[in-house]
Amino acid sequence: MGKIVGRIFIGLVSFLISFISYSSQIFIIWPWYGSVLSVELICLLAPFNFLVGMLWWNYCLCVTTDPGQVPTTWLPDTHSGEGYEVKKLTGNPRFCRSCEKYKPPRAHHCKVCDRCVLRMDHHCPWINNCVGHFNYGHFIRFLFFVDCACSYHLAMVTRRVFDTMGTRYWDDPTAIELVFIILNYALCIPVLLTVGAFSLYHFYSLLGNSTTIEGWEKDKVATLVRRGKIREIKFPYNLGARRNIASVLGENPLMWCCPTITPGTGLKYQLADGDGKWIEFAERNRGREREEEA
């Protein structure tokens, strides 16, 4: 049942992308230019179709790329300098009872996928997949190109509505054009507002090298700090904005908008505080919880 629902969501997204992208060109822009191919028309539509193409590419990668799963043979190396995460109450390495595997840092169990996902951010029904280590970069780029394509689309359609560019263009839209103008506005504006707000959150998370789950955890910590129950704790994976982005999109800024393989294995991550600090933090936090329980 879950797979069927997921495919329905993918179908809805594909329909939205196709309708907004192509109906605007076929039924609004093409008639506006008198149904005649011209250099000016090509210059108008070429950037838009590039954005749509990149949107499709990254969306397909979000859907088809495995976000990353824990290898069966993986075990936490407690003697390495890379750090590992422990349970707050026992101090032992995190273990998933459902998968019967140890959890690498930042990995979490997804009930929908029924497995642990490396650097899990969230399960997204719109891609019928988890967003994790190996497809988070594609997800970020997908959001970025949705924002760009929708903005360009609205500017293009609005220009058709308000701008008169000479006698060779049709100033007044036909009934069919008017219907598609209304439909494009009705679909594109909500998409831009919702995805835009979602994008801002994820761009902010990218700058801080934080996942959605870790964002919730940081909010809980901030609440405890405000109440005076614990001292302020530094998030261990924040390496600075430039390095945070590079850890997801790659080292070369010129390639950040191009689909690339996410750096790293997803089994260990560099810590901002140096080697072993995350273990020490977990141990200190466990000690504080025991003191509060006592």
Side-chain angles (χ1 to χ4, degrees), residues 67-70 94 103-124 129-136 202 210-217 266 269:
Q69 55 183 317
V70 183
R94 296 163 63 231
K103 291 182 180 180
R106 316 183 80 177
H108 295 275
H109 186 84
C110 175
K111 294 181 180 179
V112 180
C113 297
D114 193 26
R115 64 171 182 169
C116 285
V117 176
L118 300 179
R119 195 187 182 275
M120 180 178 174
D121 188 275
H122 68 286
H123 183 89
C124 180
N129 198 4
C130 266
V131 177
H133 178 79
F134 290 107
N135 66 349
Y136 187 62
H202 277 280
S210 173
T211 65
T212 298
I213 296 175
E214 290 166 349
W216 296 337
E217 293 173 347
Y269 296 90

Side-chain angles (χ1 to χ4, degrees), residues 233-285:
I233 301 169
K234 182 179 179 181
F235 181 63
Y237 299 112
N238 190 349
L239 308 175
R242 170 66 173 77
R243 293 170 65 190
N244 291 340
I245 298 174
S247 69
V248 175
L249 303 181
E251 292 292 338
N252 188 355
L254 298 178
M255 298 297 293
W256 284 352
C257 289
C258 300
T260 53
I261 299 175
T262 304
T265 62
L267 298 175
K268 57 184 179 181
Y269 296 90
Q270 185 177 356
L271 303 179
D273 289 339
D275 298 338
K277 292 294 184 180
W278 184 232
I279 304 174
E280 294 173 11
F281 154 69
E283 292 290 346
R284 290 197 303 269
N285 194 43

Side-chain angles (χ1 to χ4, degrees), residues 8 14 17 49 73 83 88 97 115 118 121 123 145 150 154 172 186 210 215-216 225 233 237 250 257 260 268 286 292:
I8 292 175
S14 300
I17 296 173
N49 282 282
T73 58
K88 294 180 180 179
R97 295 181 180 179
R115 64 171 182 169
L118 300 179
D121 188 275
H123 183 89
F145 283 112
C150 285
L154 288 176
D172 297 326
S210 173
W216 296 337
V225 171
I233 301 169
Y237 299 112
C257 289
T260 53
K268 57 184 179 181
R286 178 170 60 90
E292 291 178 1

